[in-house]
Amino acid sequence: MSDYLGEYSYLGTTLRQANIEPMPSLSDVRRVVTEYGILPLGSQTVHESAPLVKSMLIAGPHGTGKRMLVNAICTELGANLMDLTSDNIVGKYPGKAGLTMLLHLVMKVGRLLQPTVVYLGNVERVFMKKVPKTDLSDPKRLKKDLPKIIKKLSADDRILFVGTSRTPWDGDVKGMCGCFQKIVLIPRPDYASRYLLFKEMIIQNGGRITTSLDLSSLAKISDGYCPGHISTAVKQVLTERRVHMLSKKPLVVNEFVTPLARLDPIYKEEEEQFRKWFAKTPLGKKRARLKAEEEENKDAGKGGKGKGGKGKKGKGKGKKGKKEKSTDCDSALIPLL
């Protein structure tokens, strides 16, 4: 799990004080996956006493390390990985009886060889309303049986279902949220994470960090690029020939610009799609509701303090002001919800 690089977001508290909800950092993602996926399955005692997490959905753009997190969970736990991705099981165990046998074997072997991680890649295809005609993998095959199996898991079963998705809005939100207990949204890396990613990946690929390489500028111009993009760019620059030349010709920022320019970053439109999708999930709705209540309480408190405190007449005005302020706040928050 330590190989999943990401820095802590130091601006999170400052942004919240300015009534701006910050996006989670890669460090937060690593912590949440550890708490939900690794700690409960690492010990039978912890698994039985801690809140039971049966399934988890990891959503994020291409190149953010979703599959790497699944592999990291298995590595940390020494768990067995079972791949139930629709492309992997196409043509295997055909028919309804075959599907029943497949799921029976997965659960039987999974219980015997605990801990077990059951992986479902591109899980939004399972919950699609309409499957494209070009897709011959029959992705909706598991749609009915998957929620039933997850629901039957008990505290004695150290089995975790992990799904990944790069376009979660293509699937039915209600079906996906009913199937997966926890949803982890991976954002694009912030400045601190990009700085750390470039520094560590350059060293891992045989490079050297010198004063000629301005990592701060490199982290700024790479805004919007994922860890996968950064890894690709570093590998393209640090060829075997270039590594041998480092003693005579140190690395400079311009060498990384061309490889990055060939890659498509995460655009604001795609990031906004993830925000809108997450707002439709139960956790997103809960956060919006809590935020609305906080805003309402703050505005109501200001209205009460401004006109109350001077006799009965003053108190009456304070109450009236409080009520009016609360109504205005409700009408202002309708577009946000």
Side-chain angles (χ1 to χ4, degrees), residues 54 170 200 238 337:
K54 302 177 183 178
D170 288 341
E200 294 295 329
L238 289 169
L337 296 173

Side-chain angles (χ1 to χ4, degrees), residues 17-258:
Q17 288 173 352
N19 292 325
I20 301 171
E21 186 62 31
M23 288 292 284
S25 66
L26 297 184
S27 176
D28 296 327
V29 171
R30 187 173 62 235
R31 176 183 57 81
V32 168
V33 171
T34 303
E35 290 177 359
Y36 291 158
I38 296 174
L39 291 178
L41 292 182
S43 167
Q44 184 66 35
T45 307
V46 175
H47 185 65
E48 291 175 358
S49 56
L52 184 60
V53 179
K54 302 177 183 178
S55 56
M56 178 170 58
L57 173 64
I58 303 174
H62 176 68
T64 49
K66 299 180 289 295
R67 180 60 192 263
M68 181 182 178
L69 285 171
V70 177
N71 292 334
I73 292 171
C74 296
T75 304
E76 293 288 341
L77 294 170
N80 297 288
L81 179 65
M82 296 186 179
D83 191 352
L84 286 184
T85 305
S86 55
D87 290 332
N88 193 43
I89 61 173
V90 61
K92 300 172 184 176
Y93 296 92
K96 193 173 181 181
L99 180 62
T100 305
M101 177 58 70
L102 172 65
L103 296 175
H104 169 72
L105 290 172
V106 166
M107 296 308 296
K108 187 174 182 179
V109 175
R111 287 189 174 102
L112 289 171
L113 302 175
Q114 299 183 52
T116 301
V117 174
V118 181
Y119 170 65
L120 298 107
N122 298 323
V123 76
E124 76 279 351
R125 293 164 63 189
V126 177
F127 299 95
M128 272 184 174
K129 293 180 180 178
K130 190 175 181 182
V131 181
K133 293 180 180 178
T134 54
D135 192 348
L136 303 176
S137 60
D138 191 16
K140 296 178 75 173
R141 191 179 174 194
L142 295 169
K143 186 177 181 180
K144 290 182 179 179
D145 296 311
L146 188 62
K148 295 176 183 176
I149 292 174
I150 295 174
K151 195 175 181 181
K152 288 179 181 178
L153 291 175
S154 64
D156 296 328
D157 302 322
R158 289 163 63 194
I159 300 174
L160 179 68
F161 283 78
V162 182
T164 60
S165 175
R166 55 185 292 188
T167 54
W169 50 84
D170 288 341
D172 179 36
V173 178
K174 190 176 180 181
M176 291 173 74
C177 293
C179 187
F180 294 98
Q181 282 179 278
K182 304 293 182 182
I183 297 175
V184 180
L185 179 62
I186 307 178
R188 59 186 176 90
D190 54 9
Y191 168 81
S193 294
R194 292 195 304 275
Y195 186 96
L196 179 66
L197 284 163
F198 271 112
K199 182 181 176 182
E200 294 295 329
M201 286 182 179
I202 287 171
I203 294 171
Q204 286 174 11
N205 286 275
R208 297 176 193 168
I209 307 296
T210 62
T211 53
S212 302
L213 181 62
D214 188 358
L215 281 178
S216 179
S217 298
L218 187 58
K220 285 179 181 177
I221 65 172
S222 60
D223 186 17
Y225 289 97
C226 292
H229 297 140
I230 294 172
S231 177
T232 302
V234 171
K235 286 177 181 177
Q236 287 179 4
V237 172
L238 289 169
T239 58
E240 189 176 348
R241 181 172 177 271
R242 185 67 183 90
V243 171
H244 287 307
M245 294 172 61
L246 287 174
S247 56
K248 297 178 181 178
K249 186 182 177 183
L251 291 169
V252 292
V253 174
N254 293 340
E255 293 182 73
F256 295 91
V257 174
T258 304

